[in-house]
Amino acid sequence: GIQVEQSPPDLILQEGANSTLRCNFSDSVNNLQWFHQNPWGQLINLFYIPSGTKQNGRLSATTVATERYSLLYISSSQTTDSGVYFCAVEFARGSSNTGKLIFGQGTTLQVKP
Amino acid sequence: DVKVTQSSRYLVKRTGEKVFLECVQDMDHENMFWYRQDPGLGLRLIYFSYDVKMKEKGDIPEGYSVSREKKERFSLILESASTNQTSMYLCASSWRGYEKLFFGSGTQLSVL
C-alpha cells in the first residue's frame, strides 16, 4: 500500500493566502523531513521534524507521530513559495537510522501575484 | 552553509556509453545518497553510502554502481547507459541518519 501520501496533489493560491499541506504515513517513523523543490529543480530542506512543532519564518510544521501525520503550514504566501513540497520519512520498523528517506509524491503549489 | 556540488547540470550521452556522475560535499558528512527523479514516479533511492568504501543498494540499483573512495566524494556510474536511464539525478548528504538531508542541484541526464 501507499507508504507516504501527500495531499492535496495540487494547490493554487493567491499571494497573501495561507495554506496547509498534509503528509500521512503508514507506520511509525524515526525521521521525517519536509523539502521544497523550486522551479529550477533545487531541493531545499525546510524541516527535520519526526515529532513536535517547529517554526521558521512564515513556515511551520507539526508532526503527530502517534497519529501518523505531519502538516506544513505556509502563511502569507509569496510567489517565491511556488514549487513542489515533499514530505520524506524513514520508517522505524527494521531501521538502523540510516537516513534512507522514502519520498511522497509531493504537493505542487502555485502562488499567483 | 552546507554545499553539495554535482559536476554537471546537463549531460547528453549515447546508448552503451559508460557515464560518471560526480558529487562532492564540503561538510564532512558521513552519509551520501543518489536519487533519481522521474515525472509520476517521484524520487527513488539508487544507492547510498554511510562511510568511505561502504555502500548499500537502494530501491532501484539495477544498471548502476557507485564509488566512494574519499569521504567527500560519491560517484554514480552507469556501466552501459540505456534510454530508460534518462532522468534527473540528485545527490544528497547528511551527517548521520537522523540529521537533515541536503541536496545538490541535480544532473539532468539524457541518453540518446
Side-chain angles (χ1 to χ4, degrees):
Chain A
I2 296 174
Q3 295 183 302
V4 185
E5 187 173 71
Q6 292 187 241
S7 60
D10 301 281
L11 188 57
I12 300 174
L13 297 176
Q14 210 61 39
E15 201 168 27
N18 303 329
S19 62
T20 302
L21 282 57
R22 187 177 180 104
C23 173
N24 291 333
F25 40 94
S26 55
D27 206 342
S28 56
V29 299
N30 55 24
N31 189 339
L32 188 147
Q33 302 188 33
W34 283 96
F35 298 86
H36 173 223
Q37 188 168 37
N38 65 25
W40 297 271
Q42 176 71 56
L43 275 154
I44 305 296
N45 194 301
L46 299 175
F47 294 103
Y48 168 80
I49 188 166
S51 63
T53 297
K54 289 187 178 179
Q55 180 152 8
N56 185 1
R58 295 181 297 103
L59 303 182
S60 63
T62 294
T63 297
V64 183
T66 52
E67 298 187 23
R68 300 183 185 167
Y69 72 89
S70 183
L71 302 173
L72 178 70
Y73 304 96
I74 305 173
S75 65
S76 304
S77 59
Q78 302 175 358
T79 55
T80 51
D81 295 330
S82 297
V84 184
Y85 290 81
F86 289 102
C87 166
V89 308
E90 181 174 15
F91 291 105
R93 194 186 307 272
S95 164
S96 55
N97 264 336
T98 58
K100 288 169 55 179
L101 297 179
I102 297 170
F103 281 74
Q105 291 296 305
T107 293
T108 300
L109 173 65
Q110 183 183 359
V111 180
K112 294 187 171 182
Chain B
D1 279 355
V2 174
K3 189 152 187 176
V4 181
T5 303
Q6 294 184 230
S7 52
S8 305
R9 183 75 176 105
Y10 299 97
L11 212 50
V12 180
K13 296 293 181 181
R14 296 282 178 192
T15 303
E17 278 192 77
K18 189 169 186 175
V19 181
F20 293 86
L21 302 183
E22 307 287 345
C23 176
V24 177
Q25 49 91 6
D26 66 355
M27 284 301 291
D28 202 34
H29 282 173
E30 303 284 332
N31 295 352
M32 295 189 75
F33 305 82
W34 276 105
Y35 286 85
R36 64 178 280 179
Q37 184 176 22
D38 301 285
L41 297 175
L43 280 88
R44 295 176 292 167
L45 181 64
I46 305 171
Y47 265 98
F48 79 103
S49 168
Y50 50 90
D51 201 350
V52 175
K53 297 191 188 292
M54 305 302 288
K55 60 186 179 185
E56 282 196 22
K57 293 178 180 179
D59 300 316
I60 51 163
E62 298 78 20
Y64 302 95
S65 62
V66 290
S67 172
R68 193 162 180 205
E69 296 295 319
K70 293 185 178 181
K71 193 173 186 180
E72 67 270 18
R73 186 179 296 270
F74 192 35
S75 303
L76 180 69
I77 303 156
L78 288 66
E79 294 291 342
S80 177
S82 63
T83 54
N84 63 13
Q85 292 178 310
T86 291
S87 185
M88 170 68 84
Y89 289 88
L90 294 157
C91 175
S93 71
S94 66
W95 193 50
R96 291 195 185 120
Y98 42 85
E99 299 283 342
K100 275 188 170 186
L101 188 66
F102 294 92
F103 279 89
S105 54
T107 295
Q108 179 63 54
L109 173 68
S110 297
V111 183
L112 306 177

